[in-house]
Amino acid sequence: MNSDIRILMCSPKHYDVDYVINPWMEGNIHKSSRDRAVEQWQNLYSILKEQAIVDLVDPQPGWPDMVFTANAGLVLGNSVVLSRFFHPERQGEEPHFKEWFERQGYNVYELPKDLPFEGAGDALLDREGRWLWAGYGFRSELDSHSYLAKWLDIEVVSLQLVDERFYHLDTCFCPLSNGYLLYYPPAFDFYSNRIIEMRVPEHKRIVVGEADAINFACNAVNVERAIVMNKVSNDLKDRLAQVGFEVIQTQLSEFIKAGGAAKCLTLRTTEPMDVAIHANSPVESRTVRLEGHLLDSGAINRALDLIVEGGGSFQVLKFQLGEQRQSTSTAEIKVSAPSHGILEEILAQLIPLGAVDLPEAERNAELLPVEQAGVAPDDFYVSTIYPTEVRIDGRWVKVQNQRMDGAIAVTRSPSGPVARCKLLRDLQVGEEVVVDVVGIRTIRKMAQRDRDKHEFSFMSGNVSSERRVELVVEQVAWELRQIRDRGGKVVVTAGPVVIHTGGGDHLAQLIREGYVQALLGGNAIAVHDIEQALMGTSLGVDMKRGVAVRGGHRHHLKTINTIRRCGNITKAVEQGVLTRGVFYECVKNKVPFALAASIRDDGPLPDTETDIIKAQEQYAELLEGADTILMLSTMLHAIGVGNMTPAGVKMVCVDINPAVVTKLSDRGSVESVGVVTDVGLFLSLLVKQLEAFTAPYRAVKT
Ligand code: ARG
């Protein structure tokens, strides 16, 4: 026995499963046998008494989980941070544990009332005493970690738990002597796994599989070479033996019914303290302000979700509800994250929701110079579709060329700093780039947002998909009409399916009647449209009868050949070779088009731009100033176009494949509408609807 090591336990006299506060307790209320529990606890007690001195705290009636002394608090040296239980079911244990610690002469620290922390269940010392591993996500709040660091004067490494079954750190993580670590990686989020891997070299990490993990293999008590745990696999036992540990197994099934095993039933009250190491909790927090229709737009929920999913935690400091329906609400949220990098990533995601860093007045955006053309400094802020402003020299500067997935480049001009979104490849030496997330805000015009919401409000209602198509058609037709009449701009991006589904004539009609101001696509739509115009087939299929024509599979190559002979599409029209169809109408009506190549193109047509960077530039140019974009059955071009388009531009995405539609609406802009339907049908309905608008005028004229 090692007489320097002390462990605190509590007899299971009043133990039972009385309530459900973790998934293990579900279905187990009053299902554990007291006798068997006492026997199992006694066995554990005897084993531990061989290894260390075991102290006992008196069990209390009415507090069945008090056997789990790991949750009494966290002891280091002569100090203890008392637990603040998350669930009211266990809060009554606090005074009993407190009394015990005080009686032993500990320095007792108590956390603020509303800051949960569940003691050594969620805080495990590195066995060499180098730092404290602290868990959060279910029972303990990340903000409690800063207190631990301060009071215990130790470095805290925060780890986020993500699997409900492993709700306490000690259920899935067990630091062992000599720097070894026994753990179950899937219980942690991505960042935490990275942090663990950075701190513990691979040959010291003993990864536990799910089968052993759910037998609480990680919930082990390690005293020097001995590891005491519930029954586990021989494989794990062997792996531990290979690195010099002796596994002592003891059945603890009755306690697993409450979600605990060996380690939970103990609290080590003598922990190694490395005097050379001092407080350093990298937990960083920042307060941001969100303003707007936070509740009805769902923005507040989205923001809080983002923070948690991003590996952080939050505290709502202020929440001012708008009094009237039209007035806005304000929330001040303190965002905490276990490292600076994680905090930055979270804040970068909050900015598009309208979050502004506080205190607003003092922070300028951080700028770093471009040192290599086409390469941004690390940590560059990735732009979004939302109108953005950056604070430079104390002034908010509007970012030009707003688009997503760019960097914000800043140049100085005599009239002041100029900020613009640029693709990485376009960055120039001499420019500066916005890094980090301070001094950046996005402007979400609430008035505008409401209007959009109103206009498209019928979309969200409980309508059948057929009715939904009709409603979208009505709405789009109305808008095309309005835009045409005020000289606005509609851009269409379309895939070859438009032609196959018989939509070519309708699209041609829209162009002829002035509803389309630019057309974007690939080689294929042009080839199929022209094939149909020249030979009546689309990819060899007779468009009138819907059957394949003999030898028709060669038609599209002949088409390409014909256009190549003419020089290009425009020349084919001028030479009288091409006399109808979508591209004919484009040429005739001076509607510019851009065709972007892809790896599977036949030909391509001379008009097809094979330099993809140039093609992107052509697209961007034609998209400039667009009011509405119709995306007709083309995943590739729709997503490409979506990426270049700032928020505020309405996008209507029509595709028979719901995945494409979802992908587009995932960009979260309120202005995009998706319709899952046959594009040929959509276009025919659209044309009919437009004709219906126009018919009365015609009737008057004649
Ligand atoms: N029923 C207890 C709870 O849910 C079990 C505690 C287990 N303790 C532990 N350190 N993991 O709180």
Side-chain angles (χ1 to χ4, degrees):
M1 185 189 67
N2 188 327
S3 56
D4 294 340
I5 297 180
R6 302 187 84 100
I7 288 173
L8 177 67
M9 291 181 71
C10 174
S11 121
K13 189 166 167 213
H14 303 293
Y15 169 71
D16 196 359
V17 181
D18 275 358
Y19 43 75
V20 178
I21 56 172
N22 68 50
W24 303 91
M25 300 174 102
E26 257 162 45
N28 275 327
I29 290 194
H30 305 317
K31 290 274 171 62
S32 76
S33 134
R34 174 74 50 80
D35 292 348
R36 227 177 303 138
V38 169
E39 188 192 319
Q40 291 180 352
W41 185 89
Q42 276 296 345
N43 291 343
L44 177 68
Y45 178 67
S46 316
I47 294 169
L48 292 177
K49 271 180 63 160
E50 302 277 303
Q51 312 289 334
I53 298 175
V54 182
D55 297 309
L56 292 173
V57 53
D58 288 336
Q60 301 293 329
W63 305 109
D65 272 338
M66 212 176 145
V67 269
F68 298 113
T69 50
N71 302 119
L74 171 68
V75 179
L76 186 60
N78 194 39
S79 298
V80 58
V81 180
L82 210 63
S83 283
R84 281 259 178 241
F85 284 95
F86 180 80
H87 293 290
E89 284 86 342
R90 293 197 66 183
Q91 285 163 1
E93 298 171 33
E94 291 167 16
H96 302 296
F97 285 129
K98 180 175 175 188
E99 194 195 311
W100 188 87
F101 287 121
E102 279 176 348
R103 227 175 325 119
Q104 308 298 313
Y106 282 96
N107 213 345
V108 178
Y109 289 99
E110 288 182 84
L111 288 158
K113 278 247 164 328
D114 50 356
L115 193 56
F117 166 66
E118 298 203 347
D122 264 335
L124 301 167
L125 269 142
D126 165 59
R127 294 257 56 91
E128 326 290 82
R130 292 169 296 179
W131 57 74
L132 180 74
W133 300 101
Y136 68 100
F138 294 108
R139 298 293 186 85
S140 300
E141 189 70 54
L142 182 57
D143 280 337
S144 67
H145 296 181
S146 324
Y147 287 89
L148 305 181
K150 188 168 73 183
W151 289 336
L152 303 177
D153 195 15
I154 191 167
E155 177 179 5
V156 176
V157 181
S158 305
L159 301 175
Q160 189 186 20
L161 298 166
V162 293
D163 182 333
E164 244 196 315
R165 298 170 302 171
F166 304 102
Y167 57 95
H168 276 141
L169 183 64
D170 68 0
T171 58
C172 49
F173 191 90
C174 182
L176 302 172
S177 322
N178 270 330
Y180 282 98
L181 171 67
L182 183 69
Y183 79 125
Y184 177 60
F188 299 92
D189 78 330
F190 172 79
Y191 284 109
S192 303
N193 272 300
R194 262 212 328 223
I195 294 170
I196 296 169
E197 287 160 18
M198 269 153 43
R199 297 250 168 177
V200 185
E202 194 174 355
H203 69 281
K204 297 260 165 163
R205 301 196 294 260
I206 304 166
V207 168
V208 169
E210 189 175 14
D212 279 324
I214 61 174
N215 277 325
F216 279 73
C218 301
N219 199 249
V221 184
N222 171 221
V223 181
E224 289 159 359
R225 301 268 111 206
I227 306 180
V228 185
M229 56 168 76
N230 183 47
K231 292 260 186 295
V232 293
S233 69
N234 285 336
D235 166 62
L236 180 60
K237 198 177 153 185
D238 292 346
R239 278 160 62 210
L240 285 164
Q242 266 165 30
V243 289
F245 290 102
E246 185 209 347
V247 175
I248 307 171
Q249 304 186 56
T250 185
Q251 188 64 260
L252 290 165
S253 52
E254 290 315 305
F255 297 100
I256 290 182
K257 292 176 183 168
K263 163 66 174 58
C264 305
L265 293 165
T266 64
L267 176 69
R268 185 145 162 178
T269 50
T270 44
E271 287 286 14
M273 243 201 2
D274 189 326
V275 278
I277 291 161
H278 290 291
N280 167 22
S281 168
V283 175
E284 252 192 59
S285 353
R286 222 176 271 167
T287 303
V288 296
R289 187 199 291 139
L290 270 174
E291 222 180 290
H293 294 281
L294 300 180
L295 285 181
D296 31 332
S297 70
I300 188 88
N301 286 340
R302 237 176 309 140
L304 301 184
D305 277 353
L306 273 174
I307 297 171
V308 175
E309 280 163 19
S313 68
F314 61 82
Q315 234 178 313
V316 178
L317 302 179
K318 272 189 211 156
F319 194 18
Q320 232 161 20
L321 263 181
E323 306 260 297
Q324 255 106 42
R325 235 183 68 78
Q326 56 306 0
S327 49
T328 58
S329 314
T330 315
E332 268 178 43
I333 302 173
K334 181 173 157 208
V335 187
S336 306
S339 76
H340 178 75
I342 298 175
L343 184 66
E344 245 181 45
E345 293 216 8
I346 295 172
L347 293 177
Q349 296 189 63
L350 293 179
I351 289 172
L353 290 178
V356 190
D357 207 14
L358 284 178
E360 201 177 316
E362 292 153 15
R363 290 174 187 261
N364 279 323
E366 274 190 46
L367 304 177
L368 281 181
V370 174
E371 274 165 3
Q372 184 185 343
V375 179
D378 283 340
D379 286 344
F380 68 97
Y381 174 78
V382 180
S383 64
T384 67
I385 57 174
Y386 300 106
T388 304
E389 293 183 347
V390 289
R391 200 176 164 86
I392 303 171
D393 307 335
R395 270 186 34 220
W396 287 104
V397 177
K398 184 164 170 37
V399 176
Q400 300 170 18
N401 299 40
Q402 190 66 46
R403 58 159 293 157
M404 65 190 265
D405 294 348
I408 299 177
V410 176
T411 47
R412 310 276 166 173
S413 80
S415 51
V418 179
R420 72 165 73 77
C421 280
K422 279 189 125 184
L423 294 174
L424 297 181
R425 63 177 184 240
D426 296 330
L427 292 173
Q428 303 282 344
V429 177
E431 290 174 332
E432 289 180 299
V433 163
V434 176
V435 296
D436 205 308
V437 288
V438 293
I440 307 172
R441 69 180 184 195
T442 61
I443 315 295
R444 311 286 297 262
K445 272 195 227 124
M446 290 308 161
Q448 154 134 28
R449 209 168 144 176
D450 270 0
R451 202 186 63 221
D452 292 337
K453 225 163 117 197
H454 170 73
E455 279 181 4
F456 277 98
S457 57
F458 59 81
M459 305 294 179
S460 48
N462 269 327
V463 295
S464 70
S465 53
E466 294 83 11
R467 182 65 191 131
R468 191 180 147 89
V469 174
E470 285 171 22
L471 287 170
V472 176
V473 166
E474 281 167 26
Q475 183 63 34
V476 171
W478 173 253
E479 283 199 14
L480 292 193
R481 223 350 245 263
Q482 300 286 95
I483 294 173
R484 186 185 70 172
D485 291 356
R486 65 162 191 262
K489 183 168 186 180
V490 173
V491 179
V492 172
T493 179
V497 178
V498 169
I499 311 296
H500 303 320
T501 54
D505 285 346
H506 305 305
L507 183 54
Q509 182 176 339
L510 291 181
I511 296 168
R512 185 163 57 243
E513 294 182 354
Y515 292 111
V516 178
Q517 280 65 47
L519 179 64
L520 311 174
N523 188 61
I525 183 168
V527 174
H528 297 317
D529 167 61
I530 298 169
E531 176 189 332
Q532 204 203 337
L534 299 182
M535 329 224 179
T537 58
S538 173
L539 256 192
V541 172
D542 182 329
M543 289 306 292
K544 291 228 167 63
R545 293 180 300 139
V547 292
V549 173
R550 193 154 9 107
H553 62 283
R554 279 189 232 106
H555 285 185
H556 73 286
L557 290 172
K558 294 188 171 170
T559 302
I560 292 167
N561 196 45
T562 304
I563 300 300
R564 292 182 72 87
R565 177 175 302 113
C566 297
N568 61 27
I569 298 175
T570 305
K571 289 189 179 137
V573 173
E574 286 163 2
Q575 293 163 23
V577 173
L578 181 62
T579 55
R580 54 184 304 271
V582 173
F583 283 82
Y584 166 82
E585 296 297 349
C586 282
V587 173
K588 275 287 172 210
N589 296 286
K590 303 210 166 33
V591 171
F593 56 84
L595 302 177
S598 81
I599 193 78
R600 51 172 295 190
D601 287 346
D602 292 310
L605 294 169
D607 306 74
T608 300
E609 179 54 67
T610 55
D611 178 337
I612 209 66
I613 293 181
K614 281 197 193 140
Q616 284 187 353
E617 283 164 10
Q618 289 177 12
Y619 265 46
E621 205 175 297
L622 291 182
L623 282 164
E624 228 177 282
D627 299 289
T628 286
I629 303 174
L630 293 186
M631 302 170 154
L632 306 175
S633 268
T634 166
M635 173 150 79
L636 194 63
H637 300 281
I639 293 173
V641 164
N643 288 347
M644 314 182 180
T645 308
V649 179
K650 206 155 289 173
M651 301 192 309
V652 180
C653 177
V654 185
D655 208 297
I656 195 81
N657 178 358
V660 177
V661 172
T662 318
K663 199 152 183 153
L664 251 294
S665 36
D666 272 357
R667 57 184 239 143
S669 102
V670 282
E671 304 87 2
S672 26
V673 184
V675 209
V676 178
T677 192
D678 176 272
V679 68
L681 175 71
F682 176 87
L683 284 170
S684 78
L685 291 174
L686 183 61
V687 164
K688 240 187 246 142
Q689 184 65 33
L690 283 165
E691 279 169 354
F693 285 150
T694 322
Y697 296 97
R698 277 202 195 127
V700 172
K701 254 196 265 167
T702 50

